Amino acid sequence: MIYSERKYVIIGIFIVVALAFIARLFYVQVINDSYKFSANNNVLRYLIDYPARGLVYDRNGELLIYNEAAYDLMVTPKQVKVIDTTDLCKVLGITIAQFKKKMLAARIYSPYKESIFEKQIQAETYAKLQEKLYKFPGFFVQSRTLRKYPSSLAAHTMGYVGEVTEKKTKKDPYYKSGDYIGISGLEASYETELRGKKGMRVMMVDVFNRPKGHFKDGQYDTLAVTGKNLISSLSARLQKYGEALLKNKTGSVVAIDPSTGEILACVTSPSYDPNLLVGRERSKNYGALLKEPGLPLFNRALMAYYPPGSTFKLINGLIGEQEGVTFRDTRYPCRGGYPVMGGKPKCHNHPSPMDLPGAVATSCNSYFCYVFRGIVDNRKKYKNIVTGFSAWRNYVLSFGIGKRIYSDLPQELSGRVPTVEYYNKIFGKNGWKSSTIVSLSIGQGELGITPLQMANIICIVANKGYYYTPHIIKGIYPSKQCRPEYKVKHYCKVAPQYFDNIIDGMQGAVDHGTSTTAKMKDYIVCGKTGTAQNPHGKDHSVFVAFAPRNNPKIAVAVLIENGGWGATWAVPIGSLMIEKYLTDSIKRPELETRMLDGIVLPPTESDRIKANKK
Amino acid sequence: MREQQGIFKNIDWVLVGLYLLLVTMGWLNIYASVYNDEHQSITDFSQKYGKQLIWIASSIGLAIICLILDGKFYAAFSPIIYAISIFSLILVLFLGTEISGSKSWFRIGDFGIQPAEFAKFATNLMLAKYLSNISIKMTDLKTKIMSGIIIFLPIVLILVENETGCALVFIAFVFTLYREGLSGNYLLLGFLAALIFILTLIFGKTILFEIIAGISLLIFFVAKKNRQNILIIVAATIVSLGAVYSVDYAFEHLEPHQKKRINVFLGKEVDVKKAGYNVNQSLIAIGSGGLTGKGYLKGTQTKYDFVPEQSTDFIFCTVGEEWGFVGTSTVILLLILLLIRIIFIAERQRSSFTRIYGYGVASIIFFHITVNVGMTIGLAPVIGIPLPFFSYGGSSLWSFTVLLFIFIKLDAYRLEILR
């Protein structure tokens, strides 16, 4: 047995190989984690269940937004086998070139993850496709929902839903490419409530991607939770009526219930059918709307800055009272204009001197110039114009102007109230005094207020000193409560006792002043007209009002661009809105017809040139 | 050892125990790899685990036959068994059923028999018979040539049948020859040849030429310059260069899919979809098992067919996925334990026939384990040979059973031999 020692060499080789294998196995199985990840990639498919978006009702239970079924054809490029491309294209109604383009796009997004191949397939196409789908491995249909706006009302307020941007998917992991998200209006501001919660099924699949059952018996599955239904504060009837009244006119009507801050109507004209921004034609329609001359996509109610005109006198009167500059019986002269500055600003013909309510009722320009200058030039209180003006400005801001009020509509803008810095820049430091900025006393000059803010100011007046932030959603299911921040009273800096004089004036304006058209038999209406000068053409016609005087139910702000006098368009339209809301019927059919049929043309090019020369 | 009666007299219960343990574990893993909800009955003979039960039962029958036969029978009948085996290897070329390019199966209904599997123990018997002759010296050229013929005859036939993997197994007999006195240089030479083969494929002809030339020159300057040394250096250089050239030539003339396989194994090509797919999926299955595995019947990669051939060549994946590192290392340790036990028993024989046969058994099993497990964990090229006692398949289980139990019988018989 001379070679028997060699058994050790052979056993040694066996052991070395075994140890090498065990070392390698230790690395592969214990140290390296990447294989576990790959195994999950192999076998697990995360199937997302999309919940239905919440429905939206108006304040009377009428359906404003619901869902309609739609189908997206999805593709996972890596699973696509050689298929009868022509057949698939025929069913979908696309060309081979389009097919290739879509496949390429999907592959670029990810060869292993599914992406949308064809969006929102119609029901009949879906039926045809479903029969043939087994022939096209790698393709599957994902059911989605499309928003429907049955009454086509309040397009800007409703907003629309669209595909989520890539930026958003990176910021918020809830969203995956191809998901839908509310983009504007209440669809955007109530996105988290409306979207519900996506469900996820973790399925195991075999090598052919055939489902083999739930991973760990469904332990990791989550159920989709339907979006919450919402109750809008809008009254569909009032909204519809407002939209009809503003047909062929440019402007806005905002109606709010002052006792709650609930927005009853939010009309912007021109508008569009919200259903245009749904589905496959969305981007095409959007492009067309962008090009329309009346700018229908522009949400005037929330975004347009108008000089408030005479309606701003209410605020100046209130501040004057609070500041002790004017009292109910304070009378200031008016001789067709503000006498102190040589009859400018001008005024119209009315008895003079008037007391405070009378000045409101007749909309005396001179009176409020006295008041405004009295406030900012009160040198006993404020040592110079800067401090005086700043004090006045703070009062104005407390009326919800010049800052965002944070309603639940995302497009809302802050409006504009000029600052000290602004005047310093224009006129130089110490280069301006109260007479320089006297146009602020009658709501002209650099002021810019949105119709929503105007309506909110009237709510403050109607409530004698406070407002609830205007909001469009009064109830969220299941509690049917609005967001808590909309139940908080915001007080302006003018004490309640000063409001009666102004309200008396507003009642006077309706009873025997500038806006007698708004008078109603059964309700005391308080209103104020405005005629806002406009550098681009004819003046804007403005009217603000609330009713009834005691226990106000509706506050309304109307603005008709280039409508001329407040009494011409804004007063009748505001009045009809109030009548419609309070009585649900119109007893003045001739007026109604005149308003419904009335056309207010936007300024032509020559109008603009004329206005600029002036 | 306790005196025992009948066929179980003096048999090595450690080997029998290991055999039964491995076969049982194999069956459990075959069941897991093809397990699905529709077929759960273990005796469902439409399923592989059902058929494997028949194979196991018949294997035990074969084992008993091996034990019943007289100890003298094997040595005496070796040439006849070898002849029958060679004959059947030829016969299958004419009468066999072609399965995926290989003509190596006799098919009877659902069941098939592969003569190449049985050539292993036949060749082993023949080699043992020839080498155990008292007058034989391994150092003789004649012995080397004769041994070579015994080994290469089945290799050639099996290559003709297009069962490359199976043919390669016979290389394992080099361990037997080594034990019987073949110079260690042959093992070393074999190792060097393999190294040159692999390096040529990785780096290409030109670089290898340069490396060999460099090494030769280096040795030439360092070594004593007597005539013999110079001759050896020149000869070695020429042979190595020739080897490199022929490897390169052979590789260039391979079928594209074979080239691809080799390239993937060498890491020159990453192809997760085709040639590399099996190894990649196999690694994923084993790797995902972690330390303790996913639990019995809880594997997903093997059960859902991500791993190809998961009940035959890649059965080790099921072990890895469901039993984790604990399971895989246990299986390897058990198999190595079996090998060491065989070597230990072979070395206690008085009969050189039994010893040589024993080494053959260990060598064949070792080669199978190395290539099969190495392949599943990416350390060896994908060559389709089964894992002994584990993989699904009648022919391989029968062949391993007979191979092992002839040895157990020969060992039990050792006390009755007087040499």
Side-chain angles (χ1 to χ4, degrees), chain B residues 282-304:
Chain B
S282 161
L283 274 171
I284 289 172
I286 294 175
S288 68
L291 182 65
T292 54
K294 295 176 184 169
Y296 188 53
L297 302 181
K298 301 267 168 58
T300 52
Q301 304 300 302
T302 46
K303 204 162 47 175
Y304 297 150

Side-chain angles (χ1 to χ4, degrees), chain A residues 70-204:
Chain A
Y71 307 92
D72 287 351
L73 181 64
M74 312 291 289
V75 65
T76 313
K78 272 281 167 186
Q79 290 169 13
V80 176
K81 305 272 151 50
V82 184
I83 57 163
D84 188 348
T85 315
T86 329
D87 195 13
L88 185 61
C89 289
K90 224 166 76 187
V91 176
L92 293 174
I94 58 172
T95 65
I96 303 264
Q98 282 172 316
F99 176 89
K100 284 184 180 153
K101 216 173 119 193
K102 282 165 188 282
M103 277 306 286
L104 185 68
R107 219 174 283 127
I108 287 167
Y109 169 68
S110 166
Y112 294 98
K113 286 190 222 156
E114 67 258 18
S115 55
I116 297 179
F117 185 80
E118 182 84 354
K119 263 187 260 182
Q120 292 146 11
I121 296 168
Q122 279 159 5
E124 52 201 290
T125 314
Y126 168 69
K128 259 189 270 170
L129 188 65
Q130 189 70 350
E131 273 174 35
K132 296 190 169 182
L133 212 54
Y134 74 95
K135 286 201 274 183
F136 311 121
F139 288 90
F140 66 98
V141 170
Q142 181 132 53
S143 70
R144 296 287 184 103
T145 51
L146 283 185
R147 292 303 247 180
K148 275 279 158 186
Y149 306 89
S151 47
S152 302
L153 287 173
H156 304 90
T157 306
M158 299 297 126
Y160 60 94
V161 169
E163 232 174 282
V164 67
T165 59
E166 207 172 316
K167 214 170 112 196
K168 180 76 181 165
T169 58
K170 282 186 185 133
K171 232 169 59 187
D172 185 345
Y174 179 85
Y175 297 98
K176 299 274 171 286
S177 176
D179 281 2
Y180 289 90
I181 186 172
I183 292 181
S184 78
L186 65 85
E187 295 275 25
S189 53
Y190 286 89
E191 167 67 13
T192 39
E193 285 87 352
L194 286 170
R195 74 183 181 195
K197 203 163 156 265
K198 280 189 273 190
M200 173 126 73
R201 278 173 295 150
V202 188
M203 299 294 287
M204 294 190 290

Side-chain angles (χ1 to χ4, degrees), chain A residues 1 6 24 29 39 42 207, chain B residues 178 182 281 301 304 328 377:
Chain A
M1 293 296 138
R6 288 189 170 184
R24 168 76 169 165
Q29 296 191 283
N42 260 349
V207 69
Chain B
Y178 170 71
L182 189 71
Q281 291 297 339
Q301 304 300 302
Y304 297 150
T328 52
I377 58 180

Side-chain angles (χ1 to χ4, degrees), chain B residues 139-369:
Chain B
T139 41
D140 292 350
L141 183 65
K142 186 183 160 229
T143 312
K144 287 174 191 161
I145 291 170
M146 273 309 289
S147 311
I149 290 172
I150 293 171
I151 296 168
F152 276 93
L153 194 57
I155 290 187
V156 170
L157 288 171
I158 294 168
L159 279 176
V160 173
E161 288 170 14
N162 210 358
E163 284 282 357
T164 326
C166 202
L168 286 173
V169 173
F170 290 79
I171 293 171
F173 284 119
V174 77
F175 285 112
T176 310
L177 300 179
Y178 170 71
R179 167 62 184 85
E180 293 310 311
L182 189 71
S183 163
N185 290 347
Y186 287 91
L187 272 186
L188 205 64
L189 251 168
F191 176 74
L192 282 177
L195 197 69
I196 285 179
F197 177 78
I198 288 173
L199 289 179
T200 308
L201 293 177
I202 292 179
F203 296 112
K205 185 165 63 172
T206 329
I207 293 178
L208 251 276
F209 277 169
E210 288 163 11
I211 292 174
I212 290 169
I215 292 173
S216 303
L217 280 174
L218 204 70
I219 294 171
F220 183 77
F221 286 122
V222 172
K224 263 195 251 165
K225 286 176 197 61
N226 59 34
R227 211 182 131 176
Q228 198 196 344
N229 274 358
I230 291 172
L231 212 68
I232 291 175
I233 292 168
V234 169
T237 309
I238 289 169
V239 169
S240 329
L241 292 178
V244 169
Y245 182 77
S246 48
V247 166
D248 190 69
Y249 178 85
F251 182 71
E252 288 309 318
H253 287 77
L254 279 178
E255 298 284 323
H257 77 271
Q258 288 170 320
K259 261 193 202 175
K260 192 157 206 170
R261 243 189 225 186
I262 290 172
N263 278 337
V264 168
F265 166 61
L266 294 172
K268 279 170 86 176
E269 228 176 273
V270 181
D271 181 3
V272 234
K273 263 286 127 141
K274 299 203 181 76
Y277 175 83
N278 295 2
V279 175
N280 191 44
Q281 291 297 339
S282 161
L283 274 171
I284 289 172
I286 294 175
S288 68
L291 182 65
T292 54
K294 295 176 184 169
Y296 188 53
L297 302 181
K298 301 267 168 58
T300 52
Q301 304 300 302
T302 46
K303 204 162 47 175
Y304 297 150
D305 304 333
F306 288 97
V307 179
E309 310 286 343
Q310 73 272 42
S311 62
T312 54
D313 295 347
F314 284 91
I315 189 70
F316 196 64
C317 296
T318 308
V319 182
E321 192 183 10
E322 299 195 343
W323 303 95
F325 176 69
V326 173
T328 52
S329 47
T330 304
V331 168
I332 288 180
L333 287 177
L334 283 176
L335 287 166
I336 293 300
L337 198 65
L338 179 87
L339 293 179
I340 293 174
R341 181 72 188 168
I342 291 170
I343 298 291
F344 172 78
I345 290 173
E347 288 292 344
R348 76 180 178 193
Q349 302 301 321
R350 276 177 285 179
S351 150
S352 50
F353 174 80
T354 308
R355 183 187 66 238
I356 296 166
Y357 182 82
Y359 267 90
V361 174
S363 305
I364 289 169
I365 294 177
F366 173 69
F367 189 89
H368 273 269
I369 297 168

